[in-house]
Amino acid sequence: LLFCGLLQYVTDNHFSTFSLAVFCCIYISYPINADKFIFQLDVISATLSYCCCAISLVYSYMFVFEKHSVQSLVSAVLFLMISIGSYETFLFLYFCGVFSIFLLRIVICNDKISFTKLILKGMQFAAILVASTIFYYLAVTVLQIVTRQYGVFTRGNIFQLDFLTNGHLFSKFPTFVKTIYNRIHYFASEGHTALQIFEIITVLGAFLFLYLAIRKKNPWVILCFIGLFAGNLLLFLVSAFDTRMCQSFCFYIAFVILILLQQVSPKGFLYKIACILIASLIIRQAATINQVFYTDYKRYQQEAFTIHSIASELIAEYDITKTVVFTNTPDYRYLESLYLPQTGTNVGRSMIYWASED
């Protein structure tokens, strides 16, 4: 709802309720989101970051495109600090949000944004992002010094990573992008529905915004789409590829579909086809979530069987009046035993915890 508010504020209430409902359905039903909220139990941190990121984008837009008020600037920086502080990789969702604002202004509001204007306004957004990140880590450092609890108050320090001091970063950047996208393509080819959707929407978006660049006679539409797309990959500069960090993917996919829907006349035949395809996408995403629920339930049943089997064996063959000690650490042989849930079916956290050799 907050992102819908952002879209309406930027475009002066251009979108219909139906269009925003489509945006919300695609956003909420994206499988990575469901896994994040239901199985990885990051509900509070992810929710807080999503909300504060959307609010920060609203205040950032007010500061950059409207009046340069101190209140807007401070609010933008403060809410983005909270968003990053709750979950650091959300700074890349802000990055994607900035380029979506430029696309909305050009495509929906018909603004004649030149390259110079794009750069100048982009630098203002970037200044807010950099300031928020710096102030956040300064606050973390101060808290660590005051409390003498080092290594807490933050999930990680992106400023300690080698890529920021690597003089060959820009020369290797194309290779980095290729490597990350190949990784995404690998998971998609292995049947990861969320990443398959990401690939399809990226191809569709490329053709869509190429068409819009020609139609609007503004080549910078392509540049903004590339920035929107790249924002989904930049987060892997600070960590190895992991779908749990893909918070920008749902916004990216929903936004591209929303813009696509605006290019079709509501009274035309193509609009009906578009609605059918969008409904199919939402159903496919919902089916993926349902499959995850089924897989988790199946894993639970297998683990329950494991626990009951161990308990039955202990009662039948051992003296349970004494302390029971398990001396082995499960390895690949355990993974092939009949006690174990089948490989590849693990979702969420296991209720059986096996300690490591340490």
Side-chain angles (χ1 to χ4, degrees):
L1 291 176
L2 286 171
F3 276 104
C4 286
L6 170 68
L7 298 173
Q8 290 292 70
Y9 187 80
V10 172
T11 61
D12 194 22
N13 297 316
H14 172 84
F15 297 106
S16 66
T17 302
F18 176 75
S19 297
L20 294 176
V22 168
F23 175 86
C24 287
C25 286
I26 295 173
Y27 193 113
I28 293 173
S29 64
Y30 191 62
I32 289 177
N33 272 14
D35 178 70
K36 189 73 177 171
F37 279 90
I38 299 170
F39 296 105
Q40 296 187 22
L41 303 180
D42 281 335
V43 179
I44 296 177
S45 60
T47 301
L48 182 62
S49 290
Y50 273 122
C51 293
C52 289
C53 186
I55 296 172
S56 177
L57 283 166
V58 172
Y59 280 114
S60 299
Y61 173 81
M62 292 170 63
F63 176 77
V64 174
F65 278 88
E66 296 177 353
K67 56 183 180 179
H68 288 66
S69 68
V70 176
Q71 180 182 357
S72 298
L73 177 60
V74 172
S75 299
V77 171
L78 178 61
F79 278 104
L80 188 55
M81 278 182 60
I82 298 173
S83 181
I84 297 173
S86 181
Y87 211 114
E88 275 117 335
T89 53
F90 271 83
L91 66 89
F92 299 102
L93 175 60
Y94 180 89
F95 187 91
C96 291
V98 168
F99 282 100
S100 70
I101 288 174
F102 283 125
L103 287 170
L104 289 173
R105 296 304 306 179
I106 298 173
V107 174
I108 302 300
C109 301
N110 297 313
D111 280 6
K112 303 297 182 182
I113 297 182
S114 64
F115 180 72
T116 303
K117 187 176 180 180
L118 186 67
I119 293 298
L120 291 176
K121 291 189 177 297
M123 289 177 64
Q124 294 177 59
F125 280 113
I128 293 173
L129 177 58
V130 171
S132 299
T133 308
I134 291 175
F135 286 141
Y136 162 60
Y137 279 105
L138 283 176
V140 167
T141 302
V142 170
L143 283 172
Q144 290 176 343
I145 293 173
V146 170
T147 62
R148 296 183 179 180
Q149 297 184 49
Y150 301 97
V152 298
F153 303 115
T154 177
R155 295 191 176 206
N157 193 336
I158 63 174
F159 294 113
Q160 295 177 351
L161 296 178
D162 293 337
F163 82 89
L164 288 172
T165 57
N166 187 347
H168 302 288
L169 170 63
F170 292 102
S171 64
K172 295 180 179 180
F173 187 74
T175 304
F176 159 77
V177 172
K178 181 180 179 181
T179 301
I180 291 300
Y181 196 79
N182 285 343
R183 190 67 174 163
I184 292 175
H185 179 70
Y186 168 77
F187 278 101
S189 63
E190 290 293 312
H192 197 299
T193 303
L195 298 183
Q196 289 175 342
I197 294 171
F198 177 83
E199 283 198 321
I200 293 171
I201 295 302
T202 296
V203 174
L204 180 64
F207 284 105
L208 170 64
F209 287 104
L210 176 62
Y211 161 75
L212 290 172
I214 297 172
R215 181 181 172 185
K216 299 293 181 179
K217 299 180 180 179
N218 192 330
W220 310 125
V221 170
I222 298 297
L223 180 62
C224 290
F225 173 70
I226 292 174
L228 178 65
F229 166 73
N232 297 291
L233 305 184
L234 289 176
L235 65 93
F236 303 115
L237 277 171
V238 300
S239 182
F241 179 82
D242 193 329
T243 55
R244 69 183 175 82
M245 300 188 302
C246 300
Q247 287 88 18
S248 61
F249 282 30
C250 54
F251 175 82
Y252 168 76
I253 291 169
F255 180 79
V256 172
I257 295 297
L258 178 66
I259 298 299
L260 174 64
L261 193 61
Q262 303 308 301
Q263 309 311 311
V264 186
S265 173
K267 297 181 180 179
F269 177 73
L270 288 178
Y271 188 80
K272 295 180 176 62
I273 298 297
C275 290
I276 292 173
L277 293 176
I278 291 171
S280 300
L281 171 62
I282 295 171
I283 292 172
R284 182 71 184 92
Q285 292 189 157
T288 301
I289 297 173
N290 190 63
Q291 177 64 34
V292 173
F293 276 117
Y294 168 74
T295 302
D296 184 63
Y297 177 74
K298 182 179 178 181
R299 195 275 302 273
Y300 163 77
Q301 293 293 337
Q302 291 171 324
E303 290 191 344
F305 170 76
T306 299
I307 292 174
H308 285 298
S309 298
I310 293 174
S312 298
E313 184 176 347
L314 286 173
I315 293 174
E317 301 181 18
Y318 298 93
D319 181 6
I320 60 174
T321 60
K322 300 178 180 179
T323 302
V324 178
V325 178
F326 293 89
T327 58
N328 69 307
T329 299
D331 54 16
Y332 71 93
R333 287 166 294 185
Y334 169 79
L335 297 179
E336 296 173 357
S337 71
L338 55 85
Y339 286 141
L340 166 116
Q342 294 300 313
T343 304
T345 60
N346 287 347
V347 179
R349 296 179 178 176
S350 172
M351 63 181 179
I352 304 176
Y353 175 75
W354 298 95
S356 65
E357 294 181 356
D358 297 334

